[in-house]
Amino acid sequence: MEQKKENSVEFWRWPESNWVNPDLPWKKGKWITAGVDVGSVSTQAVVMVDGELFAYGNIRTGSDSPNSARKGLDDILEKADLKLENIDYCVGTGYGRVNVPMAQQTVTEISCHARGANFMYGSQVRTVLDMGGQDCKAIRIDERGKVLNFIMNDKCAAGTGRGMEVFADLMHVPIWEIGPRSFQITREPPHVSTTCVVFAKSEVLGLLERDVPENEIIAAYCSAMAHRTRDLLNRLGIEKKFVITGGIAKNEGVVKRLEKELGIKSEEKVWANSKYRKKKYPFDTQIAGAIGAALFAYELLKMDKIKSVRKG
Amino acid sequence: MEYITNFKALNSKLTPLETMITHYGFTDGTGDWYLVLDTDKCNGCGECVEVCPQNILEVGQDEIDIFREKPVASIKQEARKKIRYHCAPCKPGYGIELPPCVTACKLGAISHSEGWKQINRCEKH
């Protein structure tokens, strides 16, 4: 059994990542805050020093949410030579936010993604589309990253990261190749009639039987996903600048098709902060929620300090 | 309440949102099933909570805008994915009569999506 497991290739497995800011000595910082975003598929942890990005980690969520949260944070703490005691305030967010043991406060993922997108892409962002592991959120925000209007579809896994993982496994194509391969086609295929994750298998098998080229099936699935997301944005209305966060944002096959359907370009995946851009800090679309949580932690901490000073 | 559906006309026509709106519910193959709350209009009086026969509304701390001090109405967590069925009994004839929550809200903060045909107090008056 063990042997078999090792030999089989897991096509859905997307790479984990972590990063520590080399230019920021945390010891000189006044307040260190952390945000942990425990999603259904991935867990992100972000550490910020006085509202500046210090470190982040992105791992897969296991079956045990508290453990994933702990592991996600511990990994980067170790790398950054920090200790849990050094963190002044921690905010938990995401689907498993009640299961973050070290969090002093929980904030909904909608608020956090809005705040995070505002920090990452800049204050001109008005529409955020988060394509997460098992849900899809469309959020309208103002220049401070405050939520003005939102829709969350978490009732159906079609058009989400998990759906794409299942599809990658079905097609025996590594998940990061889905995007590029969906463009290696001679013609844009017709829509897949159903994007349901459970029915995807029979649909794909049917197409393969009819000798439809593999890349065309991939393209069809990508465009079906884009189409579904468009319906969500359609309801909310869309305003420039428009950004996409979450795991699917890394999949060009879906992003390009969605942009085409909407007739509006999504913003380039670069830091709005010119200092970050200049120093070429890595940009991960999946960490928006955790960044938002860490920023909320910073704000809540400041508020708490002010209150306690007034009381004292 | 109007939603932008024509994306080509979008860039020129759309004005920024002025009020904070929350959509509770979902979209599935059969349509849009949302209870829409304008949380800027809501003052947390709780009249809607009392009249809801399905008991799916509640008033409390705003979970989206955590810095808001005023309480606000929201849909109970466990009811959000079943909103279509919870709200259906209040909509005989698909929205000829106004549901109790919409009537009870003096501020016109509550409306429903077109799933049951859109009913909006603001439009009626």
Side-chain angles (χ1 to χ4, degrees):
Chain A
M1 198 66 193
E2 277 301 313
Q3 187 95 38
K4 202 180 164 192
K5 216 176 180 181
E6 270 176 30
N7 287 341
S8 67
V9 186
E10 287 163 310
F11 293 99
W12 58 268
R13 229 168 232 282
W14 42 270
E16 299 183 339
S17 66
N18 59 48
W19 175 79
V20 177
N21 190 337
D23 312 316
L24 200 64
W26 63 268
K27 276 175 186 151
K28 282 185 190 156
K30 201 173 172 195
W31 287 326
I32 299 170
T33 58
V36 182
D37 179 359
V38 183
S40 50
V41 172
S42 63
T43 297
Q44 290 86 25
V46 162
V47 175
M48 282 191 153
V49 177
D50 293 334
E52 292 279 328
L53 186 65
F54 177 58
Y56 74 75
N58 178 16
I59 62 164
R60 284 178 284 270
T61 305
S63 54
D64 185 346
S65 299
N67 254 343
S68 302
R70 227 172 271 137
K71 190 177 170 288
L73 192 56
D74 282 354
D75 276 3
I76 58 169
L77 289 182
E78 204 188 313
K79 222 181 154 199
D81 198 24
L82 262 165
K83 287 205 172 62
L84 195 58
E85 299 90 76
N86 295 126
I87 290 174
D88 297 306
Y89 208 90
C90 179
V91 163
T93 186
Y95 187 73
R97 61 179 171 275
V98 287
N99 288 324
V100 182
M102 51 278 180
Q104 278 97 341
Q105 176 103 21
T106 60
V107 178
T108 61
E109 60 267 40
I110 295 168
S111 319
C112 286
H113 272 282
R115 196 76 180 73
N118 176 274
F119 179 86
M120 292 169 84
Y121 294 91
S123 60
Q124 279 143 352
V125 173
R126 291 292 175 277
T127 313
V128 182
L129 176 70
D130 174 50
M131 300 182 83
Q134 266 177 33
D135 61 16
C136 197
K137 297 176 270 285
I139 313 166
R140 295 276 297 274
I141 60 174
D142 68 4
E143 73 284 352
R144 289 161 299 153
K146 188 177 166 255
V147 180
L148 293 178
N149 191 343
F150 77 87
I151 295 184
M152 174 155 90
N153 198 355
D154 57 353
K155 203 181 153 72
C156 173
T160 65
R162 186 67 199 136
M164 195 49 97
E165 284 183 13
V166 170
F167 182 71
D169 241 10
L170 275 173
M171 296 299 295
H172 285 225
V173 174
I175 199 149
W176 54 89
E177 280 181 18
I178 296 267
R181 280 188 65 167
S182 75
F183 292 113
Q184 293 163 15
I185 45 170
T186 46
R187 64 180 176 103
E188 193 70 19
H191 283 300
V192 194
S193 56
T194 164
T195 48
C196 176
V197 176
V198 180
F199 287 128
K201 190 161 190 168
S202 54
E203 181 109 23
V204 167
L205 284 175
L207 288 169
L208 284 172
E209 268 171 22
R210 275 167 31 207
D211 275 341
V212 179
E214 236 178 61
N215 288 352
E216 257 179 45
I217 300 175
I218 294 172
Y221 195 79
C222 286
S223 73
M225 222 173 216
H227 194 71
R228 248 198 96 89
T229 318
R230 199 203 78 141
D231 291 344
L232 203 70
L233 282 163
N234 207 11
R235 166 142 206 94
L236 192 77
I238 189 168
E239 190 186 351
K240 274 185 174 176
K241 294 178 169 181
F242 165 62
V243 300
I244 307 176
T245 63
I248 298 285
K250 296 174 183 172
N251 186 328
E252 287 294 299
V254 179
V255 172
K256 288 257 168 69
R257 285 182 176 84
L258 180 64
E259 284 174 352
K260 208 174 147 198
E261 286 217 24
L262 294 175
I264 188 168
K265 275 242 176 268
S266 66
E267 289 306 305
E268 218 181 314
K269 285 176 262 178
V270 287
W271 293 100
N273 189 328
S274 57
K275 200 176 92 200
Y276 289 15
R277 214 166 43 216
K278 215 176 276 170
K279 295 207 167 150
K280 295 213 170 80
Y281 291 172
F283 192 89
D284 191 334
T285 52
Q286 282 179 276
I287 60 170
I291 285 192
L295 286 169
F296 273 125
Y298 183 51
E299 271 167 47
L300 286 164
L301 186 68
K302 276 199 281 188
M303 264 167 60
D304 269 12
K305 294 273 169 185
I306 292 163
K307 267 183 204 159
S308 62
V309 167
R310 270 187 199 151
K311 269 181 207 161
Chain B
M1 196 176 294
E2 260 186 33
Y3 292 98
I4 309 303
T5 46
N6 182 0
F7 282 96
K8 278 177 189 154
L10 201 98
N11 300 336
S12 55
K13 275 186 185 169
L14 195 66
T15 50
L17 286 168
E18 273 162 18
T19 53
M20 157 80 200
I21 297 155
T22 54
H23 287 73
Y24 293 103
F26 55 88
T27 302
D28 63 11
T30 55
D32 289 348
W33 309 97
Y34 292 100
L35 203 152
V36 186
L37 284 168
D38 189 330
T39 53
D40 268 2
K41 286 184 187 164
C42 178
N43 62 358
C45 68
E47 301 252 345
C48 53
V49 179
E50 280 164 38
V51 297
C52 180
Q54 297 284 321
N55 201 18
I56 61 165
L57 289 152
E58 62 184 357
V59 169
Q61 160 84 40
D62 194 334
E63 59 172 40
I64 304 300
D65 182 5
I66 56 167
F67 299 111
R68 177 185 167 126
E69 280 167 9
K70 219 165 49 168
V72 74
S74 65
I75 310 295
K76 286 180 185 166
Q77 193 72 45
E78 63 269 24
R80 285 178 196 176
K81 291 187 193 180
K82 299 178 199 157
I83 216 157
R84 177 181 180 180
Y85 313 103
H86 280 303
C87 286
C90 287
K91 301 189 170 295
Y94 290 97
I96 294 160
E97 288 171 43
L98 287 170
C101 55
V102 176
T103 328
C105 186
K106 305 276 185 300
L107 305 157
I110 304 177
S111 62
H112 291 79
S113 63
E114 302 82 10
W116 313 269
K117 267 193 189 165
Q118 187 165 0
I119 310 156
N120 193 329
R121 199 179 156 79
C122 313
E123 279 173 5
K124 288 259 168 185
H125 290 277

